[in-house]
mmCIF file of all heavy atoms in Angstrom:
data_model
loop_
_atom_site.group_PDB
_atom_site.id
_atom_site.type_symbol
_atom_site.label_atom_id
_atom_site.label_comp_id
_atom_site.label_asym_id
_atom_site.label_seq_id
_atom_site.Cartn_x
_atom_site.Cartn_y
_atom_site.Cartn_z
ATOM 1 N N MET A 122 -10.141 3.602 21.411
ATOM 2 C CA MET A 122 -11.139 4.593 21.956
ATOM 3 C C MET A 122 -12.445 3.842 22.385
ATOM 4 O O MET A 122 -13.052 4.168 23.396
ATOM 5 C CB MET A 122 -11.442 5.632 20.905
ATOM 6 C CG MET A 122 -10.264 6.599 20.666
ATOM 7 S SD MET A 122 -10.581 7.629 19.234
ATOM 8 C CE MET A 122 -12.031 8.600 19.790
ATOM 9 N N ALA A 123 -12.798 2.840 21.582
ATOM 10 C CA ALA A 123 -14.012 2.076 21.904
ATOM 11 C C ALA A 123 -13.841 1.330 23.274
ATOM 12 O O ALA A 123 -14.768 1.271 24.080
ATOM 13 C CB ALA A 123 -14.291 1.061 20.815
ATOM 14 N N VAL A 124 -12.636 0.751 23.475
ATOM 15 C CA VAL A 124 -12.396 0.060 24.754
ATOM 16 C C VAL A 124 -12.387 1.039 25.870
ATOM 17 O O VAL A 124 -13.019 0.830 26.927
ATOM 18 C CB VAL A 124 -11.013 -0.683 24.695
ATOM 19 C CG1 VAL A 124 -10.641 -1.253 26.041
ATOM 20 C CG2 VAL A 124 -10.992 -1.728 23.615
ATOM 21 N N GLY A 125 -11.797 2.195 25.651
ATOM 22 C CA GLY A 125 -11.770 3.248 26.750
ATOM 23 C C GLY A 125 -13.159 3.709 27.117
ATOM 24 O O GLY A 125 -13.391 4.085 28.231
ATOM 25 N N ALA A 126 -14.021 3.742 26.125
ATOM 26 C CA ALA A 126 -15.441 4.225 26.370
ATOM 27 C C ALA A 126 -16.304 3.051 26.920
ATOM 28 O O ALA A 126 -17.476 3.343 27.246
ATOM 29 C CB ALA A 126 -16.027 4.725 25.078
ATOM 30 N N GLY A 127 -15.764 1.881 27.047
ATOM 31 C CA GLY A 127 -16.508 0.774 27.625
ATOM 32 C C GLY A 127 -17.211 -0.144 26.637
ATOM 33 O O GLY A 127 -17.930 -1.063 27.069
ATOM 34 N N TYR A 128 -17.000 0.054 25.344
ATOM 35 C CA TYR A 128 -17.657 -0.780 24.351
ATOM 36 C C TYR A 128 -16.728 -1.991 23.985
ATOM 37 O O TYR A 128 -16.120 -2.052 22.912
ATOM 38 C CB TYR A 128 -17.978 0.053 23.087
ATOM 39 C CG TYR A 128 -18.928 1.197 23.291
ATOM 40 C CD1 TYR A 128 -18.477 2.468 23.506
ATOM 41 C CD2 TYR A 128 -20.301 0.939 23.450
ATOM 42 C CE1 TYR A 128 -19.357 3.516 23.749
ATOM 43 C CE2 TYR A 128 -21.211 1.980 23.680
ATOM 44 C CZ TYR A 128 -20.719 3.235 23.844
ATOM 45 O OH TYR A 128 -21.587 4.270 24.085
ATOM 46 N N ILE A 129 -16.649 -2.910 24.950
ATOM 47 C CA ILE A 129 -15.686 -3.992 24.828
ATOM 48 C C ILE A 129 -16.082 -4.958 23.663
ATOM 49 O O ILE A 129 -15.240 -5.286 22.870
ATOM 50 C CB ILE A 129 -15.603 -4.811 26.126
ATOM 51 C CG1 ILE A 129 -15.259 -3.863 27.300
ATOM 52 C CG2 ILE A 129 -14.549 -5.877 26.010
ATOM 53 C CD1 ILE A 129 -13.997 -3.113 27.159
ATOM 54 N N LEU A 130 -17.347 -5.344 23.624
ATOM 55 C CA LEU A 130 -17.766 -6.285 22.601
ATOM 56 C C LEU A 130 -17.614 -5.690 21.219
ATOM 57 O O LEU A 130 -17.170 -6.377 20.288
ATOM 58 C CB LEU A 130 -19.253 -6.654 22.846
ATOM 59 C CG LEU A 130 -19.808 -7.711 21.868
ATOM 60 C CD1 LEU A 130 -19.033 -9.045 21.964
ATOM 61 C CD2 LEU A 130 -21.314 -7.985 22.173
ATOM 62 N N LEU A 131 -17.934 -4.371 21.102
ATOM 63 C CA LEU A 131 -17.827 -3.721 19.808
ATOM 64 C C LEU A 131 -16.340 -3.704 19.381
ATOM 65 O O LEU A 131 -16.011 -3.947 18.226
ATOM 66 C CB LEU A 131 -18.329 -2.290 19.861
ATOM 67 C CG LEU A 131 -18.218 -1.444 18.642
ATOM 68 C CD1 LEU A 131 -19.071 -2.011 17.520
ATOM 69 C CD2 LEU A 131 -18.667 0.002 18.939
ATOM 70 N N SER A 132 -15.424 -3.429 20.306
ATOM 71 C CA SER A 132 -13.990 -3.345 19.962
ATOM 72 C C SER A 132 -13.477 -4.700 19.587
ATOM 73 O O SER A 132 -12.633 -4.811 18.671
ATOM 74 C CB SER A 132 -13.229 -2.767 21.126
ATOM 75 O OG SER A 132 -13.287 -3.580 22.268
ATOM 76 N N LEU A 133 -13.890 -5.759 20.305
ATOM 77 C CA LEU A 133 -13.396 -7.112 19.943
ATOM 78 C C LEU A 133 -13.921 -7.566 18.597
ATOM 79 O O LEU A 133 -13.161 -8.151 17.803
ATOM 80 C CB LEU A 133 -13.871 -8.090 21.028
ATOM 81 C CG LEU A 133 -13.257 -7.944 22.409
ATOM 82 C CD1 LEU A 133 -13.889 -8.904 23.374
ATOM 83 C CD2 LEU A 133 -11.733 -8.044 22.369
ATOM 84 N N PHE A 134 -15.131 -7.212 18.283
ATOM 85 C CA PHE A 134 -15.670 -7.573 16.933
ATOM 86 C C PHE A 134 -14.940 -6.776 15.817
ATOM 87 O O PHE A 134 -14.637 -7.314 14.801
ATOM 88 C CB PHE A 134 -17.162 -7.371 16.829
ATOM 89 C CG PHE A 134 -17.791 -7.739 15.545
ATOM 90 C CD1 PHE A 134 -17.951 -9.119 15.238
ATOM 91 C CD2 PHE A 134 -18.200 -6.840 14.664
ATOM 92 C CE1 PHE A 134 -18.458 -9.502 14.011
ATOM 93 C CE2 PHE A 134 -18.737 -7.200 13.413
ATOM 94 C CZ PHE A 134 -18.887 -8.542 13.125
ATOM 95 N N GLY A 135 -14.647 -5.489 16.197
ATOM 96 C CA GLY A 135 -13.881 -4.687 15.244
ATOM 97 C C GLY A 135 -12.504 -5.239 15.010
ATOM 98 O O GLY A 135 -12.018 -5.211 13.886
ATOM 99 N N THR A 136 -11.848 -5.754 16.062
ATOM 100 C CA THR A 136 -10.549 -6.370 15.911
ATOM 101 C C THR A 136 -10.612 -7.573 14.987
ATOM 102 O O THR A 136 -9.739 -7.747 14.172
ATOM 103 C CB THR A 136 -10.013 -6.742 17.300
ATOM 104 O OG1 THR A 136 -9.974 -5.637 18.167
ATOM 105 C CG2 THR A 136 -8.609 -7.381 17.200
ATOM 106 N N PHE A 137 -11.646 -8.357 15.211
ATOM 107 C CA PHE A 137 -11.838 -9.560 14.386
ATOM 108 C C PHE A 137 -11.968 -9.144 12.886
ATOM 109 O O PHE A 137 -11.317 -9.781 12.006
ATOM 110 C CB PHE A 137 -13.068 -10.340 14.799
ATOM 111 C CG PHE A 137 -13.458 -11.441 13.873
ATOM 112 C CD1 PHE A 137 -12.688 -12.648 13.865
ATOM 113 C CD2 PHE A 137 -14.575 -11.329 13.029
ATOM 114 C CE1 PHE A 137 -13.133 -13.663 13.007
ATOM 115 C CE2 PHE A 137 -14.935 -12.283 12.141
ATOM 116 C CZ PHE A 137 -14.182 -13.477 12.160
ATOM 117 N N MET A 138 -12.726 -8.108 12.635
ATOM 118 C CA MET A 138 -12.900 -7.652 11.278
ATOM 119 C C MET A 138 -11.580 -7.155 10.651
ATOM 120 O O MET A 138 -11.277 -7.409 9.501
ATOM 121 C CB MET A 138 -14.004 -6.576 11.177
ATOM 122 C CG MET A 138 -15.350 -7.035 11.530
ATOM 123 S SD MET A 138 -16.581 -5.678 11.532
ATOM 124 C CE MET A 138 -16.566 -5.253 9.800
ATOM 125 N N VAL A 139 -10.830 -6.439 11.433
ATOM 126 C CA VAL A 139 -9.518 -5.936 10.944
ATOM 127 C C VAL A 139 -8.617 -7.081 10.597
ATOM 128 O O VAL A 139 -7.945 -7.037 9.541
ATOM 129 C CB VAL A 139 -8.848 -5.040 12.012
ATOM 130 C CG1 VAL A 139 -7.401 -4.719 11.639
ATOM 131 C CG2 VAL A 139 -9.665 -3.752 12.211
ATOM 132 N N LEU A 140 -8.548 -8.075 11.406
ATOM 133 C CA LEU A 140 -7.633 -9.227 11.135
ATOM 134 C C LEU A 140 -8.165 -10.062 9.944
ATOM 135 O O LEU A 140 -7.303 -10.544 9.162
ATOM 136 C CB LEU A 140 -7.635 -10.166 12.370
ATOM 137 C CG LEU A 140 -6.901 -9.576 13.642
ATOM 138 C CD1 LEU A 140 -7.022 -10.540 14.815
ATOM 139 C CD2 LEU A 140 -5.419 -9.364 13.287
ATOM 140 N N VAL A 141 -9.454 -10.094 9.703
ATOM 141 C CA VAL A 141 -9.956 -10.736 8.494
ATOM 142 C C VAL A 141 -9.479 -10.006 7.278
ATOM 143 O O VAL A 141 -9.004 -10.563 6.268
ATOM 144 C CB VAL A 141 -11.497 -10.836 8.520
ATOM 145 C CG1 VAL A 141 -12.029 -11.200 7.132
ATOM 146 C CG2 VAL A 141 -11.933 -11.833 9.583
ATOM 147 N N VAL A 142 -9.586 -8.637 7.340
ATOM 148 C CA VAL A 142 -9.144 -7.844 6.168
ATOM 149 C C VAL A 142 -7.622 -7.933 5.960
ATOM 150 O O VAL A 142 -7.181 -8.112 4.794
ATOM 151 C CB VAL A 142 -9.551 -6.356 6.371
ATOM 152 C CG1 VAL A 142 -8.921 -5.456 5.392
ATOM 153 C CG2 VAL A 142 -11.056 -6.149 6.407
ATOM 154 N N LEU A 143 -6.869 -7.893 7.008
ATOM 155 C CA LEU A 143 -5.377 -7.871 6.895
ATOM 156 C C LEU A 143 -4.834 -9.259 6.520
ATOM 157 O O LEU A 143 -3.816 -9.357 5.805
ATOM 158 C CB LEU A 143 -4.745 -7.383 8.138
ATOM 159 C CG LEU A 143 -4.968 -5.919 8.529
ATOM 160 C CD1 LEU A 143 -4.288 -5.589 9.841
ATOM 161 C CD2 LEU A 143 -4.452 -4.993 7.435
ATOM 162 N N VAL A 144 -5.471 -10.316 7.000
ATOM 163 C CA VAL A 144 -4.936 -11.677 6.817
ATOM 164 C C VAL A 144 -5.506 -12.416 5.680
ATOM 165 O O VAL A 144 -4.870 -12.790 4.679
ATOM 166 C CB VAL A 144 -5.053 -12.528 8.085
ATOM 167 C CG1 VAL A 144 -4.543 -13.928 7.850
ATOM 168 C CG2 VAL A 144 -4.305 -11.868 9.253
ATOM 169 N N LEU A 145 -6.866 -12.499 5.676
ATOM 170 C CA LEU A 145 -7.526 -13.330 4.642
ATOM 171 C C LEU A 145 -7.633 -12.632 3.267
ATOM 172 O O LEU A 145 -7.442 -13.293 2.231
ATOM 173 C CB LEU A 145 -8.925 -13.726 5.138
ATOM 174 C CG LEU A 145 -8.997 -14.579 6.395
ATOM 175 C CD1 LEU A 145 -10.454 -14.959 6.757
ATOM 176 C CD2 LEU A 145 -8.178 -15.800 6.244
ATOM 177 N N LEU A 146 -7.894 -11.335 3.278
ATOM 178 C CA LEU A 146 -8.061 -10.648 1.970
ATOM 179 C C LEU A 146 -6.757 -10.504 1.198
ATOM 180 O O LEU A 146 -6.805 -10.124 0.057
ATOM 181 C CB LEU A 146 -8.752 -9.292 2.180
ATOM 182 C CG LEU A 146 -10.192 -9.371 2.678
ATOM 183 C CD1 LEU A 146 -10.822 -7.978 2.643
ATOM 184 C CD2 LEU A 146 -11.027 -10.346 1.886
ATOM 185 N N VAL A 147 -5.651 -10.745 1.877
ATOM 186 C CA VAL A 147 -4.380 -10.736 1.156
ATOM 187 C C VAL A 147 -4.373 -11.760 0.013
ATOM 188 O O VAL A 147 -3.829 -11.458 -1.072
ATOM 189 C CB VAL A 147 -3.161 -10.941 2.109
ATOM 190 C CG1 VAL A 147 -1.874 -11.201 1.379
ATOM 191 C CG2 VAL A 147 -2.994 -9.743 3.044
ATOM 192 N N TYR A 148 -4.936 -12.908 0.286
ATOM 193 C CA TYR A 148 -4.941 -13.951 -0.750
ATOM 194 C C TYR A 148 -5.852 -13.561 -1.876
ATOM 195 O O TYR A 148 -5.557 -13.925 -2.989
ATOM 196 C CB TYR A 148 -5.370 -15.294 -0.062
ATOM 197 C CG TYR A 148 -4.477 -15.740 1.011
ATOM 198 C CD1 TYR A 148 -4.852 -15.499 2.366
ATOM 199 C CD2 TYR A 148 -3.226 -16.297 0.809
ATOM 200 C CE1 TYR A 148 -3.960 -15.955 3.451
ATOM 201 C CE2 TYR A 148 -2.393 -16.749 1.797
ATOM 202 C CZ TYR A 148 -2.764 -16.488 3.109
ATOM 203 O OH TYR A 148 -1.929 -16.890 4.133
ATOM 204 N N VAL A 149 -6.948 -12.919 -1.542
ATOM 205 C CA VAL A 149 -7.871 -12.415 -2.583
ATOM 206 C C VAL A 149 -7.106 -11.355 -3.406
ATOM 207 O O VAL A 149 -7.181 -11.374 -4.682
ATOM 208 C CB VAL A 149 -9.147 -11.870 -2.000
ATOM 209 C CG1 VAL A 149 -10.072 -11.261 -3.128
ATOM 210 C CG2 VAL A 149 -9.868 -12.897 -1.229
ATOM 211 N N GLN A 150 -6.365 -10.441 -2.800
ATOM 212 C CA GLN A 150 -5.675 -9.406 -3.545
ATOM 213 C C GLN A 150 -4.630 -10.028 -4.393
ATOM 214 O O GLN A 150 -4.385 -9.580 -5.547
ATOM 215 C CB GLN A 150 -5.052 -8.493 -2.485
ATOM 216 C CG GLN A 150 -4.241 -7.338 -3.137
ATOM 217 C CD GLN A 150 -3.649 -6.396 -2.071
ATOM 218 O OE1 GLN A 150 -4.082 -6.437 -0.895
ATOM 219 N NE2 GLN A 150 -2.697 -5.595 -2.460
ATOM 220 N N ASP A 151 -3.905 -11.074 -3.956
ATOM 221 C CA ASP A 151 -2.907 -11.739 -4.773
ATOM 222 C C ASP A 151 -3.487 -12.361 -6.006
ATOM 223 O O ASP A 151 -2.895 -12.324 -7.096
ATOM 224 C CB ASP A 151 -2.123 -12.802 -3.919
ATOM 225 C CG ASP A 151 -1.248 -12.197 -2.863
ATOM 226 O OD1 ASP A 151 -0.917 -10.968 -2.962
ATOM 227 O OD2 ASP A 151 -0.903 -12.852 -1.862
ATOM 228 N N LYS A 152 -4.623 -12.976 -5.817
ATOM 229 C CA LYS A 152 -5.307 -13.587 -6.983
ATOM 230 C C LYS A 152 -5.744 -12.552 -8.030
ATOM 231 O O LYS A 152 -5.605 -12.758 -9.217
ATOM 232 C CB LYS A 152 -6.468 -14.444 -6.511
ATOM 233 C CG LYS A 152 -6.112 -15.694 -5.811
ATOM 234 C CD LYS A 152 -7.320 -16.523 -5.485
ATOM 235 C CE LYS A 152 -6.893 -17.826 -4.749
ATOM 236 N NZ LYS A 152 -6.094 -18.699 -5.675
ATOM 237 N N ILE A 153 -6.208 -11.421 -7.537
ATOM 238 C CA ILE A 153 -6.608 -10.335 -8.449
ATOM 239 C C ILE A 153 -5.364 -9.784 -9.209
ATOM 240 O O ILE A 153 -5.419 -9.580 -10.403
ATOM 241 C CB ILE A 153 -7.276 -9.218 -7.732
ATOM 242 C CG1 ILE A 153 -8.625 -9.642 -7.090
ATOM 243 C CG2 ILE A 153 -7.470 -7.992 -8.575
ATOM 244 C CD1 ILE A 153 -9.284 -8.650 -6.213
ATOM 245 N N GLU A 154 -4.256 -9.621 -8.465
ATOM 246 C CA GLU A 154 -3.041 -9.136 -9.138
ATOM 247 C C GLU A 154 -2.490 -10.128 -10.135
ATOM 248 O O GLU A 154 -1.777 -9.739 -11.095
ATOM 249 C CB GLU A 154 -1.976 -8.757 -8.055
ATOM 250 C CG GLU A 154 -2.345 -7.528 -7.256
ATOM 251 C CD GLU A 154 -1.196 -7.101 -6.378
ATOM 252 O OE1 GLU A 154 -0.205 -7.867 -6.236
ATOM 253 O OE2 GLU A 154 -1.299 -6.027 -5.749
ATOM 254 N N ASN A 155 -2.706 -11.440 -9.933
ATOM 255 C CA ASN A 155 -2.211 -12.412 -10.906
ATOM 256 C C ASN A 155 -2.907 -12.268 -12.250
ATOM 257 O O ASN A 155 -2.327 -12.622 -13.288
ATOM 258 C CB ASN A 155 -2.404 -13.821 -10.336
ATOM 259 C CG ASN A 155 -1.402 -14.199 -9.310
ATOM 260 O OD1 ASN A 155 -0.273 -13.663 -9.316
ATOM 261 N ND2 ASN A 155 -1.747 -15.070 -8.407
ATOM 262 N N VAL A 156 -4.109 -11.767 -12.241
ATOM 263 C CA VAL A 156 -4.845 -11.647 -13.540
ATOM 264 C C VAL A 156 -4.974 -10.202 -13.957
ATOM 265 O O VAL A 156 -5.303 -9.957 -15.141
ATOM 266 C CB VAL A 156 -6.236 -12.270 -13.434
ATOM 267 C CG1 VAL A 156 -6.151 -13.781 -13.139
ATOM 268 C CG2 VAL A 156 -7.093 -11.586 -12.385
ATOM 269 N N HIS A 157 -4.699 -9.261 -13.110
ATOM 270 C CA HIS A 157 -4.822 -7.809 -13.411
ATOM 271 C C HIS A 157 -3.805 -7.033 -12.697
ATOM 272 O O HIS A 157 -4.077 -6.447 -11.638
ATOM 273 C CB HIS A 157 -6.264 -7.359 -13.126
ATOM 274 C CG HIS A 157 -6.586 -6.046 -13.649
ATOM 275 N ND1 HIS A 157 -6.978 -5.863 -15.007
ATOM 276 C CD2 HIS A 157 -6.614 -4.803 -13.088
ATOM 277 C CE1 HIS A 157 -7.234 -4.528 -15.192
ATOM 278 N NE2 HIS A 157 -7.032 -3.876 -14.050
ATOM 279 N N GLN A 158 -2.601 -7.012 -13.198
ATOM 280 C CA GLN A 158 -1.491 -6.344 -12.513
ATOM 281 C C GLN A 158 -0.992 -5.102 -13.338
ATOM 282 O O GLN A 158 -0.826 -5.162 -14.510
ATOM 283 C CB GLN A 158 -0.329 -7.350 -12.396
ATOM 284 C CG GLN A 158 0.783 -6.825 -11.551
ATOM 285 C CD GLN A 158 1.893 -7.896 -11.446
ATOM 286 O OE1 GLN A 158 2.930 -7.832 -12.082
ATOM 287 N NE2 GLN A 158 1.673 -8.904 -10.582
ATOM 288 N N SER A 159 -0.864 -3.999 -12.586
ATOM 289 C CA SER A 159 -0.368 -2.740 -13.210
ATOM 290 C C SER A 159 1.125 -2.587 -12.844
ATOM 291 O O SER A 159 1.558 -2.728 -11.685
ATOM 292 C CB SER A 159 -1.192 -1.587 -12.631
ATOM 293 O OG SER A 159 -0.667 -0.383 -13.110
ATOM 294 N N ARG A 160 1.928 -2.241 -13.894
ATOM 295 C CA ARG A 160 3.367 -2.132 -13.684
ATOM 296 C C ARG A 160 3.878 -1.023 -14.607
ATOM 297 O O ARG A 160 3.442 -0.898 -15.723
ATOM 298 C CB ARG A 160 4.074 -3.433 -13.959
ATOM 299 C CG ARG A 160 5.541 -3.462 -13.556
ATOM 300 C CD ARG A 160 6.181 -4.810 -13.885
ATOM 301 N NE ARG A 160 5.637 -5.934 -13.083
ATOM 302 C CZ ARG A 160 6.047 -7.148 -13.215
ATOM 303 N NH1 ARG A 160 7.045 -7.482 -14.060
ATOM 304 N NH2 ARG A 160 5.530 -8.104 -12.497
ATOM 305 N N SER A 161 4.839 -0.252 -14.094
ATOM 306 C CA SER A 161 5.452 0.835 -14.903
ATOM 307 C C SER A 161 6.700 0.288 -15.628
ATOM 308 O O SER A 161 7.516 -0.337 -15.030
ATOM 309 C CB SER A 161 5.796 2.009 -13.972
ATOM 310 O OG SER A 161 4.679 2.585 -13.416
ATOM 311 N N TYR A 162 6.826 0.682 -16.884
ATOM 312 C CA TYR A 162 7.993 0.319 -17.637
ATOM 313 C C TYR A 162 8.671 1.552 -18.175
ATOM 314 O O TYR A 162 7.998 2.516 -18.548
ATOM 315 C CB TYR A 162 7.602 -0.560 -18.835
ATOM 316 C CG TYR A 162 7.190 -1.985 -18.517
ATOM 317 C CD1 TYR A 162 5.970 -2.324 -17.883
ATOM 318 C CD2 TYR A 162 8.109 -3.043 -18.714
ATOM 319 C CE1 TYR A 162 5.651 -3.577 -17.612
ATOM 320 C CE2 TYR A 162 7.823 -4.363 -18.383
ATOM 321 C CZ TYR A 162 6.534 -4.623 -17.799
ATOM 322 O OH TYR A 162 6.209 -5.909 -17.499
ATOM 323 N N ARG A 163 10.026 1.477 -18.251
ATOM 324 C CA ARG A 163 10.824 2.586 -18.779
ATOM 325 C C ARG A 163 11.853 1.952 -19.705
ATOM 326 O O ARG A 163 12.603 1.098 -19.285
ATOM 327 C CB ARG A 163 11.478 3.372 -17.688
ATOM 328 C CG ARG A 163 12.412 4.465 -18.204
ATOM 329 C CD ARG A 163 13.051 5.221 -17.007
ATOM 330 N NE ARG A 163 14.096 6.132 -17.462
ATOM 331 C CZ ARG A 163 15.435 5.738 -17.482
ATOM 332 N NH1 ARG A 163 15.720 4.523 -17.195
ATOM 333 N NH2 ARG A 163 16.287 6.667 -17.907
ATOM 334 N N ILE A 164 11.873 2.427 -20.932
ATOM 335 C CA ILE A 164 12.751 1.929 -21.942
ATOM 336 C C ILE A 164 13.616 3.036 -22.554
ATOM 337 O O ILE A 164 13.023 4.082 -22.946
ATOM 338 C CB ILE A 164 12.044 1.204 -23.080
ATOM 339 C CG1 ILE A 164 11.423 -0.128 -22.524
ATOM 340 C CG2 ILE A 164 12.956 0.820 -24.255
ATOM 341 C CD1 ILE A 164 10.577 -0.918 -23.546
ATOM 342 N N VAL A 165 14.910 2.866 -22.628
ATOM 343 C CA VAL A 165 15.747 3.846 -23.280
ATOM 344 C C VAL A 165 16.493 3.084 -24.439
ATOM 345 O O VAL A 165 17.087 2.042 -24.220
ATOM 346 C CB VAL A 165 16.852 4.366 -22.342
ATOM 347 C CG1 VAL A 165 17.750 5.336 -23.056
ATOM 348 C CG2 VAL A 165 16.156 5.039 -21.097
ATOM 349 N N CYS A 166 16.372 3.652 -25.649
ATOM 350 C CA CYS A 166 17.024 3.028 -26.797
ATOM 351 C C CYS A 166 17.429 4.086 -27.786
ATOM 352 O O CYS A 166 17.098 5.302 -27.677
ATOM 353 C CB CYS A 166 16.064 2.030 -27.471
ATOM 354 S SG CYS A 166 14.525 2.721 -27.939
ATOM 355 N N GLU A 167 18.236 3.694 -28.800
ATOM 356 C CA GLU A 167 18.614 4.658 -29.887
ATOM 357 C C GLU A 167 17.415 5.102 -30.644
ATOM 358 O O GLU A 167 16.542 4.306 -30.946
ATOM 359 C CB GLU A 167 19.611 3.875 -30.796
ATOM 360 C CG GLU A 167 20.202 4.831 -31.850
ATOM 361 C CD GLU A 167 21.169 4.138 -32.694
ATOM 362 O OE1 GLU A 167 21.592 2.962 -32.387
ATOM 363 O OE2 GLU A 167 21.563 4.695 -33.753
ATOM 364 N N TYR A 168 17.430 6.368 -30.898
ATOM 365 C CA TYR A 168 16.271 6.949 -31.565
ATOM 366 C C TYR A 168 16.172 6.564 -33.018
ATOM 367 O O TYR A 168 17.130 6.642 -33.797
ATOM 368 C CB TYR A 168 16.245 8.498 -31.453
ATOM 369 C CG TYR A 168 15.112 9.116 -32.236
ATOM 370 C CD1 TYR A 168 13.818 9.070 -31.779
ATOM 371 C CD2 TYR A 168 15.394 9.784 -33.451
ATOM 372 C CE1 TYR A 168 12.778 9.604 -32.512
ATOM 373 C CE2 TYR A 168 14.325 10.373 -34.179
ATOM 374 C CZ TYR A 168 13.022 10.249 -33.677
ATOM 375 O OH TYR A 168 12.006 10.823 -34.394
ATOM 376 N N GLN A 169 14.934 6.087 -33.374
ATOM 377 C CA GLN A 169 14.641 5.786 -34.749
ATOM 378 C C GLN A 169 13.152 6.184 -34.952
ATOM 379 O O GLN A 169 12.415 6.255 -33.975
ATOM 380 C CB GLN A 169 14.773 4.298 -35.097
ATOM 381 C CG GLN A 169 16.275 3.839 -34.994
ATOM 382 C CD GLN A 169 16.371 2.368 -35.205
ATOM 383 O OE1 GLN A 169 15.397 1.713 -35.615
ATOM 384 N NE2 GLN A 169 17.538 1.743 -34.978
#
Side-chain angles (χ1 to χ4, degrees):
M122 291 171 64
V124 174
Y128 297 100
I129 306 300
L130 184 60
L131 178 64
S132 63
L133 293 177
F134 184 71
T136 302
F137 171 75
M138 294 178 66
V139 170
L140 291 174
V141 167
V142 171
L143 293 178
V144 177
L145 298 183
L146 293 189
V147 168
Y148 301 102
V149 177
Q150 182 179 343
D151 290 341
K152 288 185 179 295
I153 293 174
E154 288 188 352
N155 281 335
V156 298
H157 190 81
Q158 187 178 103
S159 176
R160 190 181 295 180
S161 298
Y162 285 77
R163 174 178 171 272
I164 292 177
V165 179
C166 57
E167 184 178 350
Y168 174 72
Q169 297 176 8

